[in-house]
Amino acid sequence: MSRRPVIAGNWKMHNLQQEAADLTNGIMQELRAEDKAALPEVVIAPTFTALYAANKALKDCGCGKVRLAAQNCYFETKGAFTGECSVEMLKDAGCEYIIIGHSERREYFGETDEMVNKKAVKILAEGLVPIICCGESLEQREAGVTDYHIASQITKALRGISAADVAKSIIAYEPIWAIGTGKTCDSVEANRVISMIRNVVKGLYDANTADAIRILYGGSVKPATIKEQMAQSDIDGALVGGASLTADSFAQIVKGAM
Ligand code: 13P
């Protein structure tokens, strides 16, 4: 089974509207000469207030090479949930993907495995693609519980979701100690954990579903690291933080995944 690579840029809490438009336009400019069919799926995830500006830039360009994601959502459809955004609202804003369960949301905003599961269910019900994040802390790694922890996160995130929906989903393995630290996880080790995740999906579902789901690596991905990461058997792309904030480095990562 050949899985189409995905390169997603998580802008986190960066970029005002004009900056978001400029970065979006810059990325499309960098990818202008590339054949669309040869590109990986390219996704950008601006913050809520910049979604409109980024979506407008994407629509004005019309090249269809870059797609929009949100960094979070709420699992209820509407109602008295001050400060939250529903999946339907994000779809209305042009999003096709939503990142859920990022370690920063788990750590600073109390996102639990149960919430990640409810969000995944809702995102898939609305026809969007969840990018489900998982990852271990340095303490967990040193205590030797990485695989146990990741398997538990994934099993809980996927509870009640059909094989067909899981096959459409994306998982991002992001070791917390590699995020924003410049300390990339060794590619062979990242591939080992990602193969383990695929095996968990196989156990919960079947070989076809495990073969279909795209599993990305995230954590200090840079233009210099992407080729080696993409050369691994089970790494299907990258969720990029810091290096997605300039058009040049993000485009280099995209091209490194071709
Ligand atoms: P960095 O690429 O800045 O390490 O961030 C990774 C990340 O958290 C993407 O979601």
Side-chain angles (χ1 to χ4, degrees), residues 51-94:
L51 284 173
Y52 177 82
N55 191 41
K56 184 171 185 311
L58 293 178
K59 283 201 291 202
D60 289 349
C61 166
C63 70
K65 290 178 180 170
V66 179
R67 295 147 184 245
L68 200 61
Q71 298 174 17
N72 181 33
C73 66
Y74 195 51
F75 47 78
E76 295 288 353
T77 305
K78 58 170 73 167
F81 302 105
T82 302
E84 293 298 313
C85 262
S86 73
V87 175
E88 194 183 20
M89 288 165 183
L90 296 168
K91 192 165 144 181
D92 185 48

Side-chain angles (χ1 to χ4, degrees), residues 38-198:
L39 281 170
E41 244 166 75
V42 184
V43 180
I44 54 172
T47 194
F48 289 143
T49 53
L51 284 173
Y52 177 82
N55 191 41
K56 184 171 185 311
L58 293 178
K59 283 201 291 202
D60 289 349
C61 166
C63 70
K65 290 178 180 170
V66 179
R67 295 147 184 245
L68 200 61
Q71 298 174 17
N72 181 33
C73 66
Y74 195 51
F75 47 78
E76 295 288 353
T77 305
K78 58 170 73 167
F81 302 105
T82 302
E84 293 298 313
C85 262
S86 73
V87 175
E88 194 183 20
M89 288 165 183
L90 296 168
K91 192 165 144 181
D92 185 48
C95 295
E96 295 176 77
Y97 307 75
I98 304 180
I99 299 170
I100 53 174
H102 193 282
S103 58
E104 288 151 16
R105 293 217 55 84
R106 294 179 193 257
E107 182 178 354
Y108 306 130
F109 305 102
E111 193 159 323
T112 63
D113 289 324
E114 289 67 31
M115 288 161 76
V116 173
N117 175 245
K118 285 184 181 174
K119 290 178 183 193
V121 167
K122 184 67 176 171
I123 292 164
L124 288 158
E126 293 286 346
L128 276 68
V129 178
I131 301 178
I132 303 165
C133 301
C134 62
E136 83 286 1
S137 65
L138 190 57
E139 294 69 37
Q140 287 168 324
R141 174 157 284 265
E142 285 172 350
V145 297
T146 296
D147 292 13
Y148 172 81
H149 174 70
I150 305 285
S152 162
Q153 284 186 322
I154 293 306
T155 303
K156 290 174 182 164
L158 299 181
R159 186 176 294 155
I161 299 177
S162 71
D165 274 346
V166 169
K168 287 183 228 159
S169 301
I170 296 172
I171 291 173
Y173 167 57
E174 300 202 308
I176 298 169
W177 48 270
I179 296 177
T181 58
K183 219 172 113 184
T184 318
C185 179
D186 174 72
S187 300
V188 173
E189 170 59 11
N191 192 57
R192 186 196 68 76
V193 177
I194 288 176
S195 307
M196 186 276 299
I197 296 171
R198 209 177 288 291

